[in-house]
Amino acid sequence: MTATLTIGLARASLETKLFFRQRDAVIFTFSFPIILLVLFGSIFEGDLEGTGITVAQLYSAGLIGAGVMGVAFQNLAIGIAIDRDDGTLKRLAGTPMPRAAYFVGKLVSSLVLSAIEVALLLAVAVLLFDLELPTDVTRWATLVWVLTLGLAGAALLGIAVSSLPRNAKSAAAVVSMPYVLLQFISGVYIPFTELPSWLNDVAALFPLKWMCQGLRSVFLGDAGAALELTGSYELPKVALVLGLWLVGGLVLCLATFRWTNRGES
Amino acid sequence: MTTTIHVRGLTKRYGEVQAVGGLDLDIHTGEVFAILGPNGAGKSTTVEILEGYRKRDAGEVSVLGVDPGQATTAWRARVGIVLQTANDAAELTVRETVRHFARYYPDSKDPDEVIDKVGLSEKAGARIRQLSGGQRRRVDVALGIVGRPELLFLDEPTTGFDPEARRQFWDLIRSLSAEGTTIVLTTHYLDEAEALADRVAVIAKGRIVAEGTPGTLGGRATASARVTWADGHAETDTPTALVRTLADKYDGEIPGLQVVRPSLEDIYLDLIGDAQ
């Protein structure tokens, strides 16, 4: 167990180092949600139904969720598909490295990258769009647990999805589609009040909608609760669904993970 | 003589295709053993089963006293594997990569010594992406030996090397062998097998069709020799006698004299041809 953890942390530092050495990937992964935030925040001005909440603030909350999912789900899933294709996984499987250490490394490095992403998005939202940072401890605590649970769920989903693409070349296409779709139906870009109810039901099955809802509770405050479909942020339900994804994602990973490309075992 | 690898009746099918059909193999401790065979003969499948990467359908397999189908972490620490295709960790430096892999093993060698041994000291600080193909393979070997393995698998290690790089690589393999490491080598190059291997096995159609030292494989040592000289040629089992007769006839130097035994390649092609 200790070996898994120490080697896992060594892998996390290696993975993070590798990520930052691919400068193009760094720039695109981090800047994508920031550019969208600046774009949407500049296009849609004004308040929402007299609540005193601006559209930019709403997008800030949504894009923090999408940004975390971009790192923990998209970046992770594509990264693993590449590891499977270029021989990283096969080489590791031939060493005495505890196999769980690979996942510890991926999760911890996703956590580090997500933390950077959230900090950048918060800085932009506060500086440009008057997003107010929470002032009480409860809200900060909510932010931490929503992000941690959401990130873990998204990462496990990413690990499971990484087994879908046949090889690294198709990985970006295969992984990006569910990510983009989820953003559209989970209230990141389009207000969920404008979606048909069956689409909202579909979105409710996946973690992104709940992560964004939890984030809105942190950044939009009590005034924003009226904008929710149920008139409440439903935090216990947020915790429940994200927690279920954690368990379900873990089971899915264990059942589907492959250490080689399809047809090679 | 102790046995490092013991295989009896190894069988593996992929759907309709019989990749390995009842293969027997013994590899002794401390020897360099080369496995030859055309693509699709079952060579890679066999080696990957020995490495613990693939499950077998039937047969008895023991590698370092353990069934690789039930590979444990402790067993993995005793086995080094140099894969055929790996392009990973391109943005890490040689030293970072070897140091990192050293952490996986309970009794690893000093990473800098390993880098020196594979001849990459000058490139230790370079990113792997910047290395030539031959240097890249040396990193693979460094990662394969950093855990002090008792048994090292090398899968077509010199494909794409220039002649000088191959000679240097051979020296590296010889020095590993001199330290007592058992080495299993698959290769397409018959001169490589001849230069390195104590024993050679030829696999065709999922079976071993011949096994022996490079010099005696497939009856090579006893095969008839072809003697050629300026005015004629002959196939004979007693080339020395013929040369003596010719020497008397010409009373000294025999013009254009050549005595040729079949090369390992001739023997190999015969064996493969017979099996098809």
Side-chain angles (χ1 to χ4, degrees), chain A:
Chain A
M1 198 61 212
T2 39
T4 305
L5 215 58
T6 26
I7 294 178
L9 290 178
R11 282 212 59 82
S13 119
L14 198 79
E15 299 265 16
T16 312
K17 210 184 276 179
L18 270 172
F19 176 80
F20 279 103
R21 287 188 185 171
Q22 286 163 311
R23 234 168 266 143
D24 46 352
V26 175
I27 292 167
F28 281 98
T29 307
F30 283 142
S31 67
F32 186 62
I34 293 172
I35 291 171
L36 286 178
L37 176 58
V38 172
L39 205 64
F40 287 134
S42 310
I43 296 170
F44 305 104
E45 288 182 54
D47 288 6
L48 287 166
E49 300 171 27
T51 52
I53 294 164
T54 64
V55 181
Q57 287 171 328
L58 184 67
Y59 275 122
S60 301
L63 282 166
I64 287 173
V68 167
M69 194 153 176
V71 171
F73 173 79
Q74 189 184 33
N75 187 51
L76 185 72
I78 294 173
I80 295 175
I82 292 173
D83 282 353
R84 190 175 286 124
D85 208 43
D86 72 9
T88 304
L89 284 182
K90 192 171 183 183
R91 192 201 294 282
L92 291 176
T95 72
M97 177 199 78
R99 293 197 170 190
Y102 175 76
F103 300 104
V104 172
K106 287 286 182 194
L107 284 173
V108 173
S109 84
S110 292
L111 186 72
V112 172
L113 300 183
S114 295
I116 297 172
E117 175 89 296
V118 171
L120 289 173
L121 279 167
L122 280 179
V124 172
V126 168
L127 290 176
L128 297 182
F129 304 115
D130 302 323
L131 184 79
E132 280 174 36
L133 291 180
T135 46
D136 59 303
V137 181
T138 328
R139 290 239 163 92
W140 278 108
T142 308
L143 177 66
V144 170
W145 74 252
V146 168
L147 284 181
T148 311
L149 273 183
L151 177 132
L156 289 170
L157 200 57
I159 294 171
V161 165
S162 78
S163 294
L164 285 179
R166 296 194 75 86
N167 55 49
K169 284 186 194 118
S170 57
V174 173
V175 173
S176 297
M177 198 193 76
Y179 174 51
V180 171
L181 279 182
L182 276 184
Q183 289 178 83
F184 274 101
I185 65 173
S186 301
V188 175
Y189 303 137
I190 305 170
F192 36 80
T193 43
E194 295 185 9
L195 295 179
S197 65
W198 67 267
L199 257 188
N200 279 320
D201 293 343
V202 172
L205 296 174
F206 295 95
L208 185 59
K209 171 215 147 76
W210 300 99
M211 191 162 37
C212 291
Q213 196 162 315
L215 290 169
R216 284 195 298 274
S217 87
V218 173
F219 294 108
L220 306 187
D222 299 332
L227 299 172
E228 297 296 326
L229 286 173
T230 58
S232 149
Y233 291 120
E234 306 172 285
L235 285 184
K237 208 167 168 187
V238 170
L240 180 73
V241 177
L242 291 181
L244 281 177
W245 261 108
L246 202 63
V247 178
L250 193 63
V251 173
L252 209 58
C253 286
L254 292 174
T256 60
F257 196 81
R258 294 178 287 115
W259 287 84
T260 53
N261 268 340
R262 234 176 273 178
E264 283 182 26
S265 61

Side-chain angles (χ1 to χ4, degrees), chain B residues 136-181:
Chain B
R136 173 81 244 219
R137 298 298 283 161
R138 284 162 177 270
V139 176
D140 292 336
V141 174
L143 299 181
I145 64 173
V146 72
R148 224 183 279 276
E150 295 163 50
L151 168 64
L152 181 67
F153 289 99
L154 293 162
D155 197 6
E156 297 181 16
T158 63
T159 303
F161 277 31
D162 64 47
E164 196 198 346
R166 285 182 74 207
R167 294 296 160 131
Q168 287 172 357
F169 198 88
W170 291 356
D171 287 340
L172 172 60
I173 303 309
R174 288 191 187 107
S175 77
L176 291 173
S177 171
E179 290 172 12
T181 315

